[in-house]
Amino acid sequence: MIDIRGLAERVGLKKTIKKLSPAVRRLRRWRNSMGGLKANRADIDLLYRLLYDAVHDLDRSLPITKTQTETAFASQWEHLPKGRFLLSDPVFRDNITDIITNEELLLKPEWFKDKRVLDAGCGNGRWAFGLAKLGVNLTAVDVNSVAIEEAKRAQEDINITKRFKVSSLEDINQNLSGEKFDLVWSWGVVHHCHSFNRSLENLCDLVCDGGVLFLYLYGRESLAMDEDVALFKERLRYNSLSSAKEKMAFLTKKARGKMDQIHVVHDIYAPLINRRLDFEYVEGFLRKRGFGVIERTKDHPEIWIRAVKAESDEAIAPYKLPYPQSPFWFER
């Protein structure tokens, strides 16, 4: 910083010192306040990171975020039931069985016939609809009763054995006591649960010997941690809005005015629990629980996993399909 007093004395401007002194004091205060502001910002960023870690703890999120996340999805299924990649999207609806067989699970359609299938976290029934069309014996579960009612309506015209239950994934074993499934399907759900580890443990227990677990999870490699924390701040900002009108304006702006994208944008900003997982962690978790063959079904930074509860994939080998190539269904 310039020594105003010394400079003034050297150039013979002693009489101006008193006039300049208040300005110098203000400049010094400004300099000190800027240093304090930077320190405050660092402290605030640290608090955001600590809160982010508490919300996304793998064993147990904060109780308040559990309630908030479940409420966010209940509101989504009630007020935003339509959009891209939902059953209201004719292209998605018409191609749903092809998407499930050729791009998601990578098993031929004939494998699904009469299989005992659990859709764990069915939402308003888009995947349950496709699985039902493949002829499975369907059980659909969701924590939200609104979602379950929508899922029921989606399957009304499909003549298969089916049932629907309201349950969290943390409590699903109590609601399906002693049952086993040939396929446990959970697409984009477990990373939102109050306890990731407990929910995934329960899903593992529900797969029969030789059966298949299929998961879609947000991948850590698809978003750097600093970007993820910044996104978490945006979620807090969205959830601090006091009216439905303000929230819709926020989502509309993020969707750039594309109303068919509002549902997807809501997924990003409304639920506070949005974990991103390392594949290695999930792979190790599954191996400890008897899954001997674990594969990512897409070359993508997000995580699609097909895991067989056996030492080999002999049971599904005759039905396996080749890996899909980009662009995938959600990119087209």
Side-chain angles (χ1 to χ4, degrees), residues 207 210-213 283-295 306-314:
V207 181
V212 178
L213 174 66
E283 181 183 33
F285 190 103
L286 297 180
R287 289 203 185 280
K288 290 177 182 178
R289 288 152 182 85
F291 291 86
V293 183
I294 302 167
E295 301 173 278
R306 181 184 66 196
V308 181
K309 201 171 190 179
E311 290 302 314
S312 74
D313 62 357
E314 180 181 356

Side-chain angles (χ1 to χ4, degrees), residues 271-290:
L272 286 176
I273 304 174
N274 267 280
R275 297 181 185 88
R276 291 191 171 273
L277 287 304
D278 292 309
F279 172 74
E280 291 75 16
Y281 175 83
V282 181
E283 181 183 33
F285 190 103
L286 297 180
R287 289 203 185 280
K288 290 177 182 178
R289 288 152 182 85

Side-chain angles (χ1 to χ4, degrees), residues 21-280:
S21 291
V24 171
R25 287 195 295 271
R26 288 196 297 272
L27 185 58
R28 284 173 177 164
R29 285 197 298 271
W30 176 81
R31 179 192 62 186
N32 293 336
S33 67
M34 288 303 293
L37 181 59
K38 289 179 181 178
N40 287 339
R41 284 178 177 169
D43 289 342
I44 291 170
D45 286 342
L46 176 60
L47 289 173
Y48 271 121
R49 177 57 193 269
L50 290 172
L51 181 57
Y52 173 95
D53 289 343
V55 169
H56 297 96
D57 184 88
L58 292 176
D59 284 315
R60 185 180 177 87
S61 181
L62 300 173
I64 191 172
T65 58
K66 171 184 182 295
T67 302
Q68 183 280 331
T69 299
E70 290 177 4
T71 300
F73 281 112
S75 175
Q76 182 181 41
W77 299 127
E78 184 173 2
H79 302 295
L80 300 170
K82 298 180 179 180
R84 195 178 182 202
F85 306 138
L86 295 173
L87 294 179
S88 60
D89 177 345
V91 175
F92 179 83
R93 186 185 182 99
D94 291 346
N95 290 280
I96 182 65
T97 57
D98 182 67
I99 290 171
I100 290 173
T101 57
N102 291 321
E103 295 202 55
E104 295 293 299
L105 194 55
L106 309 187
L107 293 177
K108 296 177 181 178
E110 51 265 35
W111 179 86
F112 292 83
K113 184 66 175 174
D114 296 325
K115 288 290 191 297
R116 297 162 298 171
V117 175
L118 170 65
D119 185 354
C122 64
N124 68 350
R126 58 172 171 173
W127 298 113
F129 173 80
L131 292 165
K133 289 190 71 176
L134 287 164
V136 306
N137 181 332
L138 177 69
T139 298
V141 172
D142 200 274
V143 71
N144 286 305
S145 58
V146 173
I148 285 294
E149 292 304 314
E150 289 293 319
K152 284 181 182 178
R153 278 191 283 273
Q155 322 300 321
E156 283 178 343
D157 297 331
I158 304 177
N159 185 25
I160 61 163
T161 301
K162 52 195 171 185
R163 58 179 172 159
F164 302 86
K165 288 181 175 289
V166 176
S167 175
S168 69
L169 297 193
E170 289 86 354
D171 299 322
I172 194 170
N173 281 9
Q174 298 173 27
N175 290 286
L176 298 173
S177 180
E179 296 194 42
K180 299 289 183 181
F181 296 87
D182 301 299
L183 169 63
V184 172
W185 170 287
S186 191
W187 202 99
V189 180
V190 190
H191 46 230
H192 293 303
C193 290
H194 182 219
S195 173
F196 175 86
N197 286 340
R198 182 177 173 184
S199 298
L200 185 53
E201 176 88 48
N202 289 343
L203 297 187
C204 291
D205 288 344
L206 289 165
V207 181
C208 71
D209 291 339
V212 178
L213 174 66
F214 181 77
L215 301 168
Y216 162 62
L217 302 167
Y218 297 150
R220 167 50 58 209
E221 62 190 277
S222 67
L223 193 65
M225 180 57 77
D226 58 343
E227 295 176 293
D228 203 9
V229 174
L231 185 56
F232 178 64
K233 293 179 186 179
E234 290 269 61
R235 290 191 191 107
L236 293 172
R237 189 171 296 115
Y238 170 82
N239 281 283
S240 71
L241 299 174
S242 58
S243 70
K245 183 177 180 180
E246 288 177 304
K247 290 182 175 181
M248 181 55 74
F250 178 101
L251 296 177
T252 302
K253 182 178 180 180
K254 293 295 183 182
R256 300 180 180 179
K258 298 177 181 178
M259 299 310 293
D260 67 337
Q261 295 280 18
I262 296 292
H263 181 96
V264 175
V265 172
H266 184 278
D267 260 7
I268 296 170
Y269 293 100
L272 286 176
I273 304 174
N274 267 280
R275 297 181 185 88
R276 291 191 171 273
L277 287 304
D278 292 309
F279 172 74
E280 291 75 16

